[in-house]
Amino acid sequence: MLRCIVRLQSQVGNAFSLSKVCPRNQYYECVARYSAATAERKRFYQDVSISQSEGGLYEINLDQRKLKTPGGKLFTVPNEALAIAVATEWDAQRDTLKFYTMHLTTLCNTALDNPTQRSKEQMITAALKFLETDTICYRVDEPHGLVELQRNEWDPVLQWIEKRYNVTIGSSASILGPEIPEATKDTLRQHLKSHNFWSLTGLEYVITQLKSIVLSLGMIDRHLSVEQAVLLSRLEEEYQIRRWGNVEWAHDYDMYELRARTAAGALFVHLTSESSTVKHKLLQD
Amino acid sequence: MPGSTPLQSQHRSKMAALSSPLRVCRGILKELRAIQGPSYKKSLAYNYIMDQFRKNKVTGEKYCRAKQEAHHASHTYLCLLASTRNHLVLHNLYHGKGERSPEEVAGLVGLRLPTQPGGKGWEK
């Protein structure tokens, strides 16, 4: 549909010529595809259970059938806790399947299928890119209340991470953002490398949601809770809400969605990281 | 949690009630009951959660790392369940219902779509 409109604007610009610009079958195919995507799947199973296969991996069973990923592979998870959490998500569905509430399932599918064929290095590079424009490091000059708030709430987290990983990350009010030294990036790259592929999938997801490496690492290292991390990520919004009022269908909706996704990502990372001994080598406790 | 800043402590006073493991456990059980109805005690999640809470309850040390980790994980899971539920409530309350199908639209003004016995040209 969009393709047709773009061609229309570039060629004719006349709404009545739609049928001339865009062949009929293409137009109706676009419509059919869109309505197929919005058609909801009904819940087709009664019971959800988990079972263990020979490799020690856990599978999810819907009635008697094994769950598969969208890519067609068998859905397997490495530990029982994650399997139970995914099973609970499937069990929570009522008449229709609402995939946008099943965050852990989505994360597992991404880790299993890897639809965009990314390697660990690509994911680490993408995650580190967030550091240059990290939420915590980008400060404003005005209004004064927000400047104060940013200083009081974000500075302690910056101090914590600088101490914990022995790095330097400044904060800056300029449009270019802070200058991050290469040593910092290398230290954090080493730390990110210590995660396995599944754990890194979850961690990159959290970083993308919170738009901040500092907050994500703070939450994964259990310095911040999920609610605190989300609050700090949405600090400017919270400031505006206090000033101008809360709009439930926008602010609360976004906040709960962000909390759900971040909590799912954090839980995914914790359940898929093998042990915490590897992290110990890089800490300066 | 260390270092309480003003904004965080305001929000934390809402959360302070949750910081004890007992409250977190109760919260999770409430969420499971909301998901699964009266038979929630037979679910996998219930048994696992109760196991984990019992295992982590008894510890001689004042600062037990595994206990801290389990507490944070349980808090995270409670946040996940509660915020998914709240998000769904708001979604059902406010989200648009989408377009009507052509049949429904025609029905609004009392008309019916014509049927074409040979099928329309572009349909498979």
Side-chain angles (χ1 to χ4, degrees):
Chain A
M1 185 73 152
L2 206 55
R3 208 171 45 216
C4 309
I5 295 176
V6 168
R7 230 186 297 162
L8 179 72
Q9 283 176 347
S10 63
Q11 285 185 18
V12 186
N14 188 347
F16 292 99
S17 315
L18 181 64
S19 52
K20 264 194 248 160
V21 174
C22 185
R24 276 187 92 179
N25 45 3
Q26 234 175 331
Y27 168 69
Y28 283 105
E29 254 177 56
C30 297
V31 169
R33 241 181 290 145
Y34 173 67
S35 48
T38 54
E40 286 179 334
R41 295 202 61 186
K42 290 209 184 337
R43 179 171 169 153
F44 53 86
Y45 50 91
Q46 308 279 17
D47 300 304
V48 186
S49 57
I50 64 173
S51 57
Q52 195 171 7
S53 65
E54 316 83 39
L57 298 172
Y58 289 83
E59 300 157 358
I60 316 282
N61 304 318
L62 303 173
D63 283 335
Q64 300 307 321
R65 289 177 286 189
K66 290 193 197 285
L67 179 61
K68 293 215 171 71
T69 69
K73 288 164 73 163
L74 188 62
F75 187 98
T76 51
V77 288
N79 66 44
E80 194 189 6
L82 188 53
I84 294 180
V86 172
T88 315
E89 273 186 352
W90 281 89
D91 211 12
Q93 305 303 314
R94 288 287 154 258
D95 307 314
T96 53
L97 300 180
K98 298 186 165 61
F99 292 106
Y100 53 83
T101 57
M102 297 157 73
H103 302 292
L104 288 173
T105 311
T106 317
L107 280 168
C108 291
N109 284 334
T110 313
L112 281 167
D113 280 341
N114 198 8
T116 43
Q117 313 282 325
R118 297 165 86 203
S119 66
K120 260 180 89 167
E121 280 69 32
Q122 285 171 313
M123 290 165 74
I124 293 177
T125 317
L128 280 177
K129 274 222 187 78
F130 271 93
L131 188 56
E132 288 142 27
T133 49
D134 203 299
T135 307
I136 301 267
C137 304
Y138 242 82
R139 304 295 168 92
V140 295
D141 284 322
E142 46 146 36
H144 185 66
L146 185 53
V147 177
E148 277 283 316
L149 199 59
Q150 287 182 340
R151 201 172 337 127
N152 293 334
E153 303 291 331
W154 285 349
D155 277 349
V157 186
L158 261 183
Q159 283 159 17
W160 171 83
I161 199 175
E162 288 184 341
K163 202 171 80 134
R164 173 103 160 169
Y165 291 99
N166 206 17
V167 292
T168 321
I169 308 173
S171 66
S172 152
S174 86
I175 198 169
L176 293 171
E179 278 290 319
I180 312 277
E182 275 304 309
T184 302
K185 289 194 199 170
D186 286 330
T187 316
L188 291 176
R189 182 170 288 129
Q190 285 306 312
H191 176 74
L192 290 176
K193 271 211 190 124
S194 70
H195 287 266
N196 61 45
F197 182 74
W198 279 60
S199 188
L200 196 56
T201 312
L203 187 52
E204 211 222 331
Y205 182 72
V206 172
I207 293 177
T208 321
Q209 294 302 315
L210 290 177
K211 314 283 188 289
S212 162
I213 290 195
V214 177
L215 289 177
S216 310
L217 290 179
M219 191 182 59
I220 298 295
D221 288 340
R222 300 177 176 94
H223 174 75
L224 300 167
S225 73
V226 177
E227 288 94 343
Q228 283 170 322
V230 168
L231 171 67
L232 291 175
S233 177
R234 297 173 79 242
L235 197 66
E236 183 166 355
E237 283 192 42
E238 293 288 329
Y239 174 76
Q240 303 292 359
I241 290 174
R242 259 147 228 274
R243 179 93 205 276
W244 300 105
N246 187 37
V247 178
E248 196 181 30
W249 52 264
H251 292 134
D252 279 350
Y253 185 86
D254 283 343
M255 181 185 76
Y256 284 124
E257 187 178 20
L258 186 59
R259 270 197 195 168
R261 289 174 184 226
T262 313
L267 203 63
F268 191 80
V269 173
H270 286 143
L271 292 177
T272 51
S273 348
E274 272 131 1
S275 67
S276 47
T277 51
V278 180
K279 281 190 232 166
H280 276 145
K281 286 187 204 157
L282 302 167
L283 295 182
Q284 306 289 322
D285 275 319
Chain B
M1 301 277 172
S4 163
T5 53
L7 186 65
Q8 283 188 37
S9 45
Q10 276 179 48
H11 277 250
R12 202 174 296 129
S13 56
K14 266 191 249 165
M15 272 169 39
L18 285 180
S19 56
S20 81
L22 180 64
R23 302 249 179 168
V24 177
C25 185
R26 280 221 194 105
I28 296 183
L29 294 186
K30 238 198 270 183
E31 295 292 334
L32 288 181
R33 199 167 57 213
I35 291 178
Q36 271 146 358
S39 63
Y40 73 104
K41 292 208 180 178
K42 299 199 199 106
S43 64
L44 289 165
Y46 177 80
N47 291 319
Y48 184 82
I49 296 286
M50 294 311 285
D51 256 349
Q52 290 296 307
F53 270 98
R54 274 182 214 124
K55 259 198 264 182
N56 283 303
K57 209 162 52 163
V58 185
T59 172
E61 299 171 34
K62 232 196 273 184
Y63 179 78
C64 171
R65 197 192 178 95
K67 201 171 168 191
Q68 293 280 333
E69 289 182 0
H71 184 56
H72 189 269
S74 62
H75 202 102
T76 306
Y77 191 53
L78 174 61
C79 181
L80 173 62
L81 290 175
S83 33
T84 346
R85 183 175 49 84
N86 286 325
H87 175 234
L88 194 57
V89 163
L90 286 181
H91 184 94
N92 292 335
L93 190 53
Y94 291 115
H95 198 86
K97 299 286 178 289
E99 282 186 0
R100 296 190 180 89
S101 69
E103 287 82 13
E104 284 178 29
V105 173
L108 280 179
V109 291
L111 301 171
R112 270 193 329 226
L113 287 180
T115 52
Q116 208 167 321
K120 299 176 192 155
W122 58 88
E123 277 178 356
K124 295 202 178 110

